[in-house]
Amino acid sequence: MQEYKYPYNVSFFRFLRRSSTIAKNPIPFHNQLFKESEGNSFSIKPLFTKHIVMTRDAEMAREILQKKHKHFEKSKLQTHNLGKYIGYGLLTSTGQYWLKQRRLIQPAFHKEKINGLLKIISNTVEEQVSNFPTENLVDLYALMNTLAFEVIAKSLFNFSADKATLSRLQYIIETLQRFIVKEIRQPHKKLWYHLSGQMKSSMAMVKESRDIINTIIEERRASNDFHDDLLDMLLNAKYEDGSSMSNEQLIDEILILFVAGHETTANALTFVLFLLANHKEELGKATEEAKKFHLETLAMQSFTELTYIKQCIEESMRLYPPAWITDRVNLQDESVGDYYFKEGTMIGVSFYEMHRHKDYWEAPESFRPDRFSEENRKRTASFYMPFGAGPRLCIGNNFAMFEMQLVLQSILSKYTIETDKSTIDVNPLITLKPIGAKLKFVKH
């Protein structure tokens, strides 16, 4: 019988002593342990559960997420714990149900389908960007959060929901996310969450969010109007037997699209604009490209004109990947890299650490968009995973990239951007959230 082999072991009591600090921001703790391990992985053995492994090794990540993906599934943290708040859609489901949903929904995100949404996205972006406050430093994330929420809301529902309803939905989703992170990172406080009423309040918000979306679905089903938005696509999607999704399934998928489709984009846009404001040469090149772009000919092929802007976004997502970490649990005893893990081991893959690893990147802390030029991008493909990897690669990756390119083009063609800070803080929630970024927009 093969002996189990785990990477550098970290004392569980050491982890426990620092649990409140780690709960606030685990990234410095991870970074310290990777350095201590003198490798790319470390492990912790809690008292009553199986090993937890953390890795930044690109080859191990590809094994888990791609090559041997059938031997692994998402942990309960990503499925059950998250699903009870935002439903059991593509992000939180596993196994055959996930595969069935992926096959059903995938066509809605093909490039040709997104082509039909480009006008909605573009009009929403133009409306938002044209009304940016100017001449004073403003909270950049708040601005990008509103913009990204408007884009996903219009793309999903077009004209089916009023502003007050969508604002309430936005508030609920953001409030729930903060509570989810607390519950996941500090499970020992679970009893307190129940006794203090936080759990009850959160579940009431879950019901309210589902009721809001259900009302929108029912109104659309009763209507004969065709909006050519994502809701129309989801309503008309058919399984192999000819059946469609139930309202409950639709609500699950729509909630996932709201969470995954607006928060990650808002984060990424905040980071890239902040980085550009701090790198004048790169900002100049991106601005020049933005001014040459013609919205009148908007179509998929026109995005080839925004090559450098795309490189800036990709380099920003290397430094600050919105989905900064993922996990998997092995369904059987499994060899991964140089190790042999017992069935049920939870393996965390830190994209944040992988994207800043000195073995993979030259000057990893520097902002260098040319890393993603046509001649360079093939070299970095095996250790660059901003949208995950393998069959569970983010379904909305094309949608997000086109949206972000349009937003940057719109902003840079209208405004000069400035900031008073050179560094940005992060809050690693479910996604990597920027903290304290302020920007000034000055009209050209």
Side-chain angles (χ1 to χ4, degrees):
M1 182 179 170
Q2 190 173 348
E3 191 176 337
Y4 298 120
K5 184 183 177 187
Y6 285 88
Y8 175 79
N9 181 63
V10 178
S11 160
F12 177 62
F13 293 104
R14 178 182 172 191
F15 169 78
L16 213 56
R17 282 197 304 271
R18 296 186 57 187
S19 62
S20 58
T21 307
I22 294 165
K24 288 174 186 165
N25 184 354
I27 285 178
F29 184 71
H30 292 170
N31 186 259
Q32 181 187 348
L33 293 178
F34 280 126
K35 285 176 181 171
E36 275 182 31
S37 71
E38 297 182 353
N40 295 323
S41 306
F42 62 85
S43 63
I44 297 172
K45 176 63 178 75
L47 292 177
F48 304 111
T49 59
K50 296 179 182 178
H51 275 85
I52 297 168
V53 173
M54 183 66 65
T55 189
R56 60 180 178 180
D57 185 280
E59 185 54 44
M60 278 180 66
R62 286 198 304 277
E63 269 194 73
I64 293 162
L65 303 175
Q66 289 176 303
K67 296 173 186 174
K68 297 181 179 178
H69 70 90
K70 289 183 179 177
H71 300 177
F72 296 86
E73 68 178 17
K74 287 189 171 188
S75 75
K76 285 186 177 179
L77 293 178
Q78 287 198 79
T79 55
H80 174 74
N81 292 40
L82 198 53
K84 68 184 179 186
Y85 297 107
I86 59 173
Y88 295 95
L90 276 180
L91 187 69
T92 52
S93 58
T94 58
Q96 285 303 307
Y97 181 74
W98 168 80
L99 185 60
K100 182 182 172 186
Q101 291 301 99
R102 178 84 184 203
R103 285 173 176 165
L104 179 75
I105 296 166
Q106 183 80 56
F109 289 91
H110 283 164
K111 288 186 178 181
E112 308 79 59
K113 288 285 188 181
I114 297 173
N115 220 359
L117 291 171
L118 284 179
K119 199 68 183 168
I120 294 174
I121 299 171
S122 174
N123 289 344
T124 308
V125 168
E126 283 298 301
E127 181 187 340
Q128 290 288 313
V129 171
S130 297
N131 291 311
F132 277 3
T134 57
E135 305 300 332
N136 293 308
L137 287 165
V138 293
D139 182 342
L140 181 57
Y141 176 76
L143 214 54
M144 294 303 106
N145 194 33
T146 300
L147 184 153
F149 191 87
E150 286 289 322
V151 169
I152 195 64
K154 290 279 176 62
S155 300
L156 268 164
F157 303 137
N158 207 347
F159 301 105
S160 293
D162 64 87
K163 205 167 185 66
T165 301
L166 290 176
S167 293
R168 177 62 183 166
L169 193 58
Q170 181 179 2
Y171 171 79
I172 290 171
I173 288 169
E174 288 172 5
T175 305
L176 283 175
Q177 195 200 50
R178 286 193 293 273
F179 182 71
I180 291 165
V181 170
K182 274 205 307 187
E183 190 187 14
I184 288 173
R185 291 203 190 144
Q186 297 180 296
H188 53 284
K189 292 186 177 180
K190 196 167 185 176
L191 181 61
W192 167 246
Y193 297 146
H194 279 280
L195 293 174
S196 63
Q198 292 178 66
M199 185 68 73
K200 185 178 179 182
S201 170
S202 296
M203 295 316 293
M205 281 191 169
V206 170
K207 184 179 184 310
E208 185 183 351
S209 67
R210 296 184 73 86
D211 287 346
I212 288 170
I213 295 170
N214 190 62
T215 300
I216 294 169
I217 292 168
E218 285 297 331
E219 287 173 355
R220 180 67 65 87
R221 285 194 192 278
S223 162
N224 292 319
D225 296 338
F226 182 70
H227 295 292
D228 199 23
D229 55 15
L230 285 171
L231 181 55
D232 273 357
M233 293 181 204
L234 294 173
L235 281 166
N236 293 318
K238 303 289 183 190
Y239 293 111
E240 289 177 1
D241 63 2
S243 63
S244 305
M245 278 190 278
S246 67
N247 277 22
E248 286 302 303
Q249 288 174 306
L250 281 164
I251 293 166
D252 284 347
E253 299 302 348
I254 287 166
L255 273 172
I256 294 291
L257 289 173
F258 264 119
V259 172
H262 113 266
E263 179 101 7
T264 51
T265 304
N267 295 347
L269 285 169
T270 302
F271 285 123
V272 69
L273 284 164
F274 183 83
L275 285 165
L276 283 170
N278 273 288
H279 294 82
K280 298 304 178 188
E281 185 181 334
E282 289 79 1
L283 175 60
K285 287 173 73 173
T287 301
E288 187 180 341
E289 187 177 80
K291 287 179 176 178
K292 289 178 182 174
F293 186 75
H294 299 291
L295 272 176
E296 303 83 56
T297 57
L298 188 63
M300 302 303 298
Q301 58 271 25
S302 59
F303 283 89
T304 56
E305 298 171 35
L306 296 175
T307 308
Y308 190 73
I309 282 175
K310 186 183 180 191
Q311 287 173 212
C312 291
I313 295 166
E314 288 172 320
E315 172 66 346
S316 172
M317 289 198 298
R318 178 189 71 81
L319 284 165
Y320 301 102
W324 67 282
I325 194 168
T326 192
D327 72 34
R328 294 292 186 272
V329 174
N330 53 317
L331 301 170
Q332 59 193 39
D333 290 359
E334 192 68 56
S335 294
V336 182
D338 297 328
Y339 308 107
Y340 187 59
F341 298 151
K342 187 176 182 179
E343 167 268 324
T345 298
M346 187 165 83
I347 307 150
V349 177
S350 174
F351 300 126
Y352 182 90
E353 287 286 342
M354 189 192 305
H355 286 182
R356 290 169 177 255
H357 198 318
K358 60 180 172 48
D359 289 355
Y360 303 143
W361 309 91
E362 183 183 328
E365 303 296 323
S366 300
F367 178 66
R368 296 182 178 179
D370 286 338
R371 295 182 209 270
F372 295 95
S373 63
E374 207 52 52
E375 61 269 27
N376 290 336
R377 69 169 58 247
K378 284 181 184 173
R379 192 186 64 78
T380 62
S382 61
F383 36 84
Y384 179 64
M385 305 178 190
F387 293 105
R392 297 201 70 137
L393 181 78
C394 173
I395 198 170
N397 62 334
N398 289 323
F399 182 100
M401 284 304 299
F402 295 133
E403 177 189 348
M404 289 189 284
Q405 284 171 268
L406 275 175
V407 171
L408 279 193
Q409 186 280 327
S410 182
I411 290 172
L412 298 180
S413 63
K414 294 177 179 62
Y415 304 103
T416 301
I417 58 173
E418 302 168 11
T419 185
D420 63 342
K421 289 176 70 179
S422 58
T423 58
I424 188 167
D425 294 323
V426 297
N427 187 8
L429 300 172
I430 295 168
T431 61
L432 190 68
K433 191 171 178 179
I435 302 294
K438 292 187 181 296
L439 225 64
K440 184 194 288 186
F441 297 89
V442 181
K443 285 189 176 175
H444 289 313

